[in-house]
Amino acid sequence: MSRPARADFDLAALRANYAHAKAVHGGKVAATLKANAYGHGAVECARALAGQADAFAVAFAQEAMELREAGLTEPILVLEGAFGMDDVALAQRHGLWLVVHQEEQLRMLESLQDRGGGAGVHAWLKIDTGMHRAGVAPGQARALWQRLAACDKVAGITLMTHLASADEPGNPMTGRQLAVFADATQGLPGPRSIANSAGVLGWKGAHQDWARPGIMLYGADPRGMPSDVLQPVMRLASEVFVERWLAPGEALGYGGSFVADRPTRVGLVAMGYADGYPRVVPSGTPVAVDGRLTRIIGRVAMDMLTVDLTDLPGAGPGAQVELWGSQVSVNQVAAAAGTIAYELLCNVKRVRRVYLRS
Ligand SMILES: *Cc1c(COP(=O)(O)O)cnc(C)c1O
C-alpha cells in the first residue's frame, strides 16, 4: 500500500457551485481558475466546466496557455493583463481577454497599430475604485476608455473593478466602491464586471453583466461562514497508520506542546505541512476520523500529525481521516491557522490526487 495522503476532487460539486453563482448573480459568469484552480487542478476543473461556464479567468497569460494547450476553447480573461508584448501576442493568437489596469498596458495595445496584422483583443479596463492596488484612477477612466476605443486592434471593451472588502457584510467600503465605479463609467457603453465571490454572495449592487467568482466555486464562502448551498470540492484526507497511548503528564511531538491530562490514545496520521496542511494550527483544531469529529493534538510535523482517538473507540490504524472537506470545512481550519481558505487550498501538494467525475 502506498502512503494514504490524498486529495479527492468532486467535479460535480464544482459544477453545482458554478450553477449557484450563475443563479445568484444572473448574467454571465467567468469561472476563476487562477493558481491551478486554487489548488484543484486548472485543466481538470476547466474540462468539468467546459460547455457550462461562459468564460474562464486566470492571473497571467501562461496560466491561460495551459488551458489552451489542453484543448479548451472558451474565452479566457487574464486578470493581471499583459506583462509584455509577448503576452499581447499570445492574447491575439489564442483569444485571451486582457485586463488593462495601467497606462503601460494600454500603450502595448496602441503599439499594435504600427505592427500590422494580428487579431483584435478584447480589453477589460480595470478602474481602481478604492482598493488602491491595481487599476486606473477613476478620473482617468474616460480618457483611457476613449484611447482603447480608438485602437483598431481592440475588439471590445468591458469595464471592471475589484472589491476590497466585500467579504465583510457591514463594511461601507463596498458601497463607496460601487458609487465610484458608477460615476467613473457613467455613459460609457459596454459590459461591466464587479463581483468576485463575496460580491456575488453578498452585494446585489455588484451584480452586473459579468461576475468573476473563484473561491465559492470550490465550495468555501469567502465570508468564512458555513454555507448550506456551496459544496466543498476538495477533500483532503489520509489515514491513521499507528496508534499509541500517552500516560497523564506525557508530552507529545516537537516542543512537547501537548501534555496529556488523562490516558490519551494518539493516532499518527500521514499528513504534514509538506503536504500543505498548515503547521501553525493549535491543539484542538477539528479533524474527522471515521466520520466522527475529534481534534489535532501536538504540533503538525512535515510528514505527519497527531490526532486524539481517546473518545473514538474502534478508530485505530486504517481509520479514515478528513483534514478538510464536508465534515470539517476548510474555513474552520483556516480560522484555526489564522489565514483564509484560499491560502490553504492553493498550498496543497505532494498528496495523491483523485478526481471524482460522476
Ligand atoms: C482572484 C480574483 C477574483 C476571484 O476572487 P474570489 O474571491 O476567489 O471570488 C476576481 N477578480 C479578480 C480581479 C481577482 O484577482
Side-chain angles (χ1 to χ4, degrees):
M1 205 193 85
S2 55
R3 184 170 184 257
R6 58 192 271 168
D8 295 334
F9 299 98
D10 179 353
L11 296 173
L14 176 71
R15 286 193 292 269
N17 295 336
Y18 179 90
H20 181 61
K22 184 117 174 156
V24 172
H25 183 272
K28 294 192 172 184
V29 175
T32 300
L33 304 179
K34 63 189 175 188
N36 199 27
Y38 296 42
H40 293 68
V43 169
E44 287 86 352
C45 290
R47 285 193 179 133
L49 291 169
Q52 183 184 19
D54 300 304
F56 302 131
V58 297
F60 52 97
Q62 281 311 322
E63 287 188 329
M65 290 312 299
E66 272 179 50
L67 301 181
R68 284 288 178 263
E69 280 156 19
L72 290 145
T73 56
E74 278 75 6
I76 305 176
L77 173 62
V78 177
L79 292 166
E80 292 185 319
F83 283 87
M85 287 308 290
D86 45 349
D87 288 347
V88 175
L90 288 175
Q92 285 188 287
R93 213 170 315 133
H94 299 282
L96 313 182
W97 297 348
L98 291 179
V99 166
V100 172
H101 61 73
Q102 53 160 330
E103 197 181 351
E104 178 56 29
Q105 292 173 322
L106 168 60
R107 281 196 287 270
M108 290 182 208
L109 294 175
E110 286 176 330
S111 78
L112 289 175
Q113 258 145 253
D114 312 323
R115 295 176 181 233
V121 176
H122 195 116
W124 286 47
L125 180 61
K126 182 173 181 176
I127 302 165
D128 170 22
T129 53
M131 189 158 178
H132 299 145
R133 195 181 56 168
V136 305
Q140 282 190 304
R142 200 164 299 272
L144 297 180
W145 184 93
Q146 274 152 1
R147 278 170 64 186
L148 276 174
C151 286
D152 60 1
K153 291 295 182 214
V154 169
I157 309 171
T158 299
L159 293 157
M160 71 175 282
T161 192
H162 194 44
L163 299 173
S165 302
D167 56 331
E168 296 169 25
N171 195 319
M173 175 72 171
T174 301
R176 285 201 295 270
Q177 285 193 269
L178 296 178
V180 169
F181 184 76
D183 185 52
T185 60
Q186 204 201 349
L188 294 177
R192 282 145 168 77
S193 175
I194 300 178
N196 53 5
S197 297
V200 169
L201 292 168
W203 298 89
K204 265 212 139 326
H207 298 177
Q208 305 278 328
D209 303 284
W210 279 94
R212 314 177 306 270
I215 193 73
M216 72 178 290
L217 304 182
Y218 308 105
D221 189 309
R223 297 165 294 187
M225 52 176 72
S227 169
D228 40 13
V229 184
L230 299 174
Q231 304 169 36
V233 176
M234 183 193 298
R235 177 172 188 267
L236 186 67
S238 191
E239 290 179 9
V240 173
F241 66 101
V242 175
E243 65 172 10
R244 60 177 303 143
W245 282 92
L246 295 180
E250 285 183 326
L252 174 65
Y254 285 118
S257 67
F258 175 83
V259 179
D261 60 0
R262 58 171 181 167
T264 298
R265 198 159 60 92
V266 179
L268 252 61
V269 178
M271 177 67 65
Y273 61 77
D275 303 299
Y277 190 87
R279 178 179 175 280
V280 295
V281 299
S283 289
T285 298
V287 59
V289 177
D290 281 346
R292 291 174 291 176
L293 284 180
T294 180
R295 56 181 184 149
I296 304 276
I297 49 177
R299 288 233 178 104
V300 174
M302 185 181 285
D303 310 309
M304 64 183 96
L305 54 78
T306 36
V307 298
D308 188 351
L309 300 178
T310 314
D311 297 327
L312 303 182
Q320 298 299 306
V321 178
E322 177 182 292
L323 287 312
W324 60 67
S326 54
Q327 292 157 334
V328 176
S329 76
V330 66
N331 273 332
Q332 286 176 280
V333 181
T339 185
I340 53 177
Y342 301 68
E343 186 184 16
L344 298 189
L345 293 172
C346 67
N347 274 342
V348 169
K349 50 193 174 293
R350 200 174 72 165
V351 301
R352 193 155 47 93
R353 301 166 70 87
V354 180
Y355 286 89
L356 314 167
R357 289 197 164 74
S358 73

